[in-house]
Amino acid sequence: MVVIFTQLAWFVFVGCTAAATHWLIAVGCVTVWQQPPLLANLIGWLVAFLVSFGGHYRLTFRYQQNSLAIACGRFFLVSASGFVINELSYAFLLHVTNIAYDLLLAVILVAIAVLTFILSRYWVFRHRIS
């Protein structure tokens, strides 16, 4: 029981760090470099992927036994799938609501985090009991 609470605490910490990175990069791309929000979202995700994978591999799921390559490949699939859901939701909601792009992105990032934890814990960084 302690293990899952520890994992959740690290997941929240790493996830918040990665989400903040994603959000700051995306908003910076829009406000500083005048990039369209959907392109800025992609750039933010690419940078945040590195933060997220590194943190989860070294902290959240440090006891897992998959090789770096296997874990990275699986995490990329989970993260990329989450990003596709993120981007499609973001594109749709940008067109059908009047919610500010930055607030909307923040809400979507939080929603995707739950799915990412479940898939990461039970597939990407699965701990094999010998």
Side-chain angles (χ1 to χ4, degrees):
M1 192 62 116
V2 171
V3 172
I4 194 158
F5 286 122
T6 302
Q7 283 182 334
L8 280 170
W10 277 117
F11 184 84
V12 168
F13 174 76
V14 171
C16 286
T17 302
T21 300
H22 185 155
W23 188 87
L24 288 168
I25 295 292
V27 170
C29 285
V30 171
T31 58
V32 176
W33 295 292
Q34 289 77 43
Q35 297 299 310
L38 293 175
L39 176 60
N41 189 32
L42 173 63
I43 295 166
W45 172 74
L46 289 170
V47 175
F49 172 81
L50 299 172
V51 172
S52 186
F53 177 73
H56 291 316
Y57 189 80
R58 294 286 180 205
L59 299 170
T60 310
F61 303 105
R62 65 183 166 271
Y63 299 113
Q64 60 90 31
Q65 297 172 346
N66 287 328
S67 71
L68 178 69
I70 289 172
C72 188
R74 287 180 178 182
F75 191 73
F76 184 81
L77 285 174
V78 168
S79 185
S81 297
F83 177 73
V84 167
I85 294 167
N86 165 325
E87 190 78 343
L88 292 173
S89 302
Y90 193 42
F92 175 73
L93 293 171
L94 280 170
H95 290 293
V96 300
T97 70
N98 290 325
I99 300 171
Y101 78 92
D102 50 351
L103 177 60
L104 184 59
L105 180 57
V107 170
I108 290 170
L109 291 174
V110 169
I112 296 297
V114 174
L115 176 63
T116 301
F117 178 78
I118 293 167
L119 290 172
S120 293
R121 184 171 191 335
Y122 294 105
W123 184 58
V124 174
F125 301 108
R126 172 177 67 229
H127 179 71
R128 295 187 188 119
I129 299 172
S130 304

